[in-house]
Amino acid sequence: MVETATAKTAQKAHYSFFQGVERNFDKAAKYTRFEKGILEQIKACNAIYQIKFPVRIGDKIEVIEAFRVQHSHHKLPCKGGIRYSMDVNQDEVMALAALMTYKCAIVNVPFGGAKGGITINPKNYTPFELEKITRRYASELVKKNFIGPGIDVPAPDYGTGAREMSWIADTYASLKPGEVDALGCVTGKPIAQGGVRGRTEATGLGVFYGVREMCNVAEDMQALGLTPGIKGKKVIVQGLGNVGYHAAKFFAQGGAVIVGLAEYEGGVYNANGLDLEAVVAHRKSTGSILGFPGATDFKNGFDVIEQECDILIPAALENVINADNAARIKAKIIGEGANGPLTPEADEILLAKGAIIIPDMYLNAGGVTVSYFEWLKNLSHVRFGRMDKRFSENQNSSIIATLEEMTGKKVSDIERRQLQHGPDEVDLVYSGLEDTMIGSFYEIRDAMKEHNLKDMRTAAFIVAINKVGVAYEELGIFP
Ligand code: NAD
């Protein structure tokens, strides 16, 4: 069902996903100073690896098709998720790899872009079969030197998670005995396997930080006819997977009202707000999002995203907002949680309506940002906070004691705990992510102002092209 919906919407675009990314790139390249050759080099996919390998499933041998695309080698390692879906094809992997290059540049993560995918529906396989497929894919990557802490570092994406990353890390480590940095060959691992706290929710949290920052700019909110601040903003989220669920959770925690939720089997809407956890529990127990008490049912989930709201977060798959439905979208702020959820036509229609689109390559960069932190942790072989948490707490205690002595007043127990607290790994990860999302937001906003643009995607591309272009210029051309 998931695949049918996506394929149908993708067919409606007149060009491929990768061509769509190229069109957006070309639009922005006009505002940069780079010569044609450099721009062509930035745009091109540097290396494309298509693999077919056999796996025994039950009593039959199945030939599995898979890909890994390294879009840019201007910084190494390359970085990008691995997707398991029947929609995986070379063009899609190329487009997603290209977006990774621009995404890393925007959030100042020193990696080139890459992406991988296996053309399977993971729901058709047992965990044992998925492990066999994943391990074989990982060993194919090792064979061709397409994976390694200094070469190319995959991560989870649609249809994969910490479990698959753990299998990949173990396969890599077995094939590279004694490689001390082996755990840095993949990110998004479970904590016990070298993962970092905060990675699971990182993309959704980054989506929240990015949208919240936009809502905090009074001038921009006034232009949209909205009040500043995230509090009370009505939000619809499409896709209750890793990105969508966590984004919705942080929006709710931040004071926004979740009014609509869409999944592949349909969607629910309640203008007064939905209790996210209750909807998730309802879906788990009944097997469907439909029928949630007090909410209006939409048998077609795509109808929910057209309902009244301030903020729409498409966090499922690409091309879901296109020439056919864009005019009916009511949201003033569209935050791209998924990669490529809007076609270029949808972009134009929504911009003409005065909406602001916060582009995927900035907004969902929280995952790769925290993946970068995980990679740093793996290379340094020490948990963030391990060296300084206690030191900070001791220092905070003596500052409190000095203040109490000087003022003759005592802080309460709650205040003492808050003031004393030294940073845990998750505190540092959240803080690094928040700083990154805020810093990059203003880099893009500055580019919008400089070039007098209403289109944030073009501004984000300008920021990315400028950084990647300078890297290529400074590297020179190898003879
Ligand atoms: P996921 O597999 O965890 O979740 C996707 C969810 O979307 C699933 O719950 C699925 O049932 C739902 N879905 C599928 N088709 C739908 C439809 N037609 N309508 C509504 N819901 C539908 O995947 P994810 O990791 O959350 O990734 C989602 C998107 O975010 C992808 O585009 C991915 O490339 C992008 N992304 C993910 C990360 C990450 O860290 N996981 C980082 C950056 C970007």
Side-chain angles (χ1 to χ4, degrees):
M1 205 167 170
V2 181
E3 283 72 28
T4 321
T6 324
K8 228 166 71 193
T9 46
Q11 273 165 16
K12 285 175 187 156
H14 303 301
Y15 33 80
S16 73
F17 186 12
F18 184 65
Q19 286 167 335
V21 176
E22 284 190 312
R23 276 171 63 125
N24 286 328
F25 179 100
D26 291 340
K27 214 160 131 188
K30 286 187 283 204
Y31 296 95
T32 69
R33 59 167 180 79
F34 298 103
E35 64 179 276
K36 194 163 172 276
I38 293 271
L39 291 171
E40 290 299 318
Q41 173 55 36
I42 299 174
K43 244 189 342 181
C45 283
N46 289 180
I48 300 171
Y49 183 27
Q50 183 200 12
I51 328 159
K52 289 203 177 182
F53 54 81
V55 177
R56 186 171 287 284
I57 303 293
D59 56 0
K60 289 204 187 82
I61 290 175
E62 236 180 76
V63 179
I64 306 281
E65 185 173 40
F67 304 87
R68 185 74 187 168
V69 172
Q70 295 175 351
H71 174 260
S72 180
H73 293 149
H74 75 287
K75 298 242 183 254
L76 288 172
C78 296
K79 186 96 194 71
I82 295 177
R83 177 177 284 211
Y84 288 0
S85 156
M86 284 309 289
D87 285 335
V88 164
N89 57 54
Q90 186 174 315
D91 182 83
E92 181 186 82
V93 183
M94 285 167 67
L96 294 167
L99 284 173
M100 281 305 294
T101 294
Y102 310 131
K103 186 180 296 189
C104 289
I106 288 167
V107 289
N108 298 310
V109 164
F111 295 146
K115 203 79 182 188
I118 307 186
T119 316
I120 53 166
N121 180 351
K123 294 194 179 109
N124 292 344
Y125 299 92
T126 64
F128 176 64
E129 290 163 350
L130 280 175
E131 181 171 352
K132 276 209 288 189
I133 295 169
T134 306
R135 285 186 181 274
R136 179 65 194 251
Y137 175 67
S139 63
E140 294 290 335
L141 296 180
V142 172
K143 262 197 231 168
K144 287 280 192 281
N145 219 12
F146 258 68
I147 185 170
I151 297 167
D152 188 349
V153 182
D157 191 70
Y158 188 86
T160 61
R163 180 184 66 171
E164 286 74 14
M165 301 309 114
S166 193
W167 293 333
I168 292 173
D170 185 58
T171 307
Y172 181 85
S174 317
L175 295 171
K176 302 266 181 178
E179 191 173 311
V180 70
D181 292 331
L183 278 179
C185 77
V186 68
T187 58
K189 301 177 292 288
I191 306 295
Q193 301 301 324
V196 72
R197 287 160 187 82
R199 172 62 183 88
T200 309
E201 64 273 35
T203 307
L205 180 57
V207 167
F208 168 69
Y209 284 147
V211 176
R212 185 193 65 183
E213 204 50 37
M214 149 135 283
C215 292
N216 283 343
V217 182
E219 183 192 336
D220 294 359
M221 287 301 100
Q222 202 180 5
L224 291 172
L226 296 172
T227 51
I230 198 78
K231 238 182 157 86
K233 292 272 182 308
K234 296 191 168 194
V235 183
I236 295 178
V237 178
Q238 181 194 40
L240 272 181
N242 177 293
V243 179
Y245 166 74
H246 287 109
K249 183 176 140 183
F250 290 112
F251 275 112
Q253 277 176 12
V257 185
I258 307 294
V259 291
L261 293 167
E263 256 294 333
Y264 66 87
E265 72 272 16
V268 287
Y269 184 86
N270 184 342
N272 297 321
L274 294 160
D275 178 341
L276 174 71
E277 297 306 333
V279 173
V280 170
H282 167 82
R283 187 168 183 243
K284 210 169 163 191
S285 67
T286 65
S288 171
I289 199 166
L290 297 169
F292 182 71
T296 309
D297 275 351
F298 288 87
K299 293 238 159 60
N300 181 350
F302 285 96
D303 293 340
V304 177
I305 63 176
E306 297 173 11
Q307 302 308 305
E308 202 67 51
C309 67
D310 302 311
I311 301 167
L312 171 63
I313 307 291
L317 286 169
E318 56 265 15
N319 291 334
V320 291
I321 303 175
N322 47 56
D324 287 349
N325 60 358
R328 296 193 297 273
I329 300 291
K330 298 192 180 69
K332 299 220 166 105
I333 300 171
I334 294 112
E336 294 187 321
N339 283 312
L342 271 69
T343 63
E345 285 102 342
D347 248 20
E348 278 164 27
I349 295 168
L350 285 160
L351 287 173
K353 279 177 72 174
I356 185 107
I357 299 151
I358 314 184
D360 47 8
M361 54 202 227
Y362 157 66
L363 197 65
N364 68 27
V368 74
T369 303
V370 175
S371 273
Y372 170 47
F373 301 158
E374 179 176 334
W375 181 77
L376 291 173
K377 175 184 180 179
N378 295 149
L379 298 196
S380 60
H381 301 269
V382 63
R383 168 172 53 81
F384 293 115
R386 178 163 179 182
M387 303 298 285
D388 44 4
K389 179 179 162 69
R390 186 65 53 154
F391 179 80
S392 301
E393 287 183 351
N394 290 342
Q395 271 210 322
N396 295 344
S397 292
S398 37
I399 293 170
I400 296 168
T402 310
L403 283 175
E404 284 179 335
E405 209 177 291
M406 282 167 69
T407 59
K409 288 183 183 154
K410 289 266 173 216
V411 298
S412 71
D413 284 350
I414 295 173
E415 285 165 342
R416 184 179 307 279
R417 269 200 299 279
Q418 279 172 352
L419 292 169
Q420 250 177 5
H421 178 73
D424 288 315
E425 181 168 84
V426 72
D427 300 320
L428 293 165
V429 164
Y430 279 18
S431 141
L433 175 60
E434 186 174 10
D435 188 55
T436 301
M437 295 307 294
I438 293 175
S440 298
F441 174 81
Y442 287 103
E443 280 186 40
I444 299 170
R445 196 170 177 274
D446 287 350
M448 285 174 85
K449 293 238 165 253
E450 185 186 339
H451 299 287
N452 200 16
L453 290 166
K454 294 254 173 290
D455 170 9
M456 204 169 170
R457 190 186 314 280
T458 301
F461 263 101
I462 294 171
V463 170
I465 296 170
N466 282 338
K467 289 181 191 174
V468 182
V470 166
Y472 273 119
E473 273 183 346
E474 289 175 356
L475 285 170
I477 307 293
F478 193 72

